[in-house]
Amino acid sequence: QVQLVESGGGLVQAGGSLRLSCIASGVIFRLNAMGWYRQAPGKQRELVAVIRSGGSTWYADSVKGRFTISRDNAKNTVYLQMNSLRPEDTAVYYCNIVIGSALQWIPQSDSWGQGTQVTVSS
């Protein structure tokens, strides 16, 4: 059974930075693409970044140039470095295994973690 545990969120002022982590278990981590999603109050969950098993990345336009996704296969961990944060980045952030391509990424696990809250004050 896949288990995903996110951490690293918090309260930060606009322009600040945070680094999120997600540890995955129950999956052959190094073989899978991983994605970071976020869900703001009253909005649908949206995908913001993907890192493929080979290390190539994809970003949503809203975070491109500000967020960096990376992975450590030895630790079964995916990271999201978030810089130049804006109030509109406020959301609960989740990770998941993904398949697909830049045209459409699909989350693979129904077992979403608890997420980690990111709040950016203006």
Side-chain angles (χ1 to χ4, degrees):
Q1 183 179 355
V2 176
Q3 187 173 13
L4 303 162
V5 180
E6 301 91 351
S7 63
L11 173 63
V12 64
Q13 287 188 331
S17 299
L18 283 173
R19 188 194 195 204
L20 308 184
S21 300
C22 167
I23 300 175
S25 59
V27 61
I28 304 176
F29 182 82
R30 60 184 174 83
L31 298 181
N32 285 275
M34 297 295 297
W36 278 99
Y37 292 79
R38 67 185 181 188
Q39 187 167 21
K43 294 187 177 181
Q44 287 190 330
R45 191 172 292 171
E46 64 170 342
L47 181 65
V48 298
V50 171
I51 184 164
R52 300 176 179 87
S53 58
S56 60
T57 57
W58 171 91
Y59 296 96
D61 288 343
S62 58
V63 306
K64 202 172 293 184
R66 301 188 297 123
F67 290 10
T68 302
I69 188 171
S70 60
R71 64 191 298 158
D72 185 338
N73 291 337
K75 296 181 179 179
N76 280 19
T77 301
V78 59
Y79 303 97
L80 187 67
Q81 177 67 43
M82 306 186 296
N83 298 329
S84 301
L85 282 162
R86 304 168 180 170
E88 54 263 40
D89 295 318
T90 295
V92 179
Y93 283 72
Y94 304 86
C95 68
N96 206 329
I97 306 161
V98 296
I99 63 168
S101 69
L103 293 177
Q104 185 178 15
W105 294 104
I106 302 172
Q108 288 301 286
S109 175
D110 293 330
S111 300
W112 293 87
Q114 82 288 348
T116 187
Q117 175 71 50
V118 172
T119 303
V120 185
S121 63
S122 57

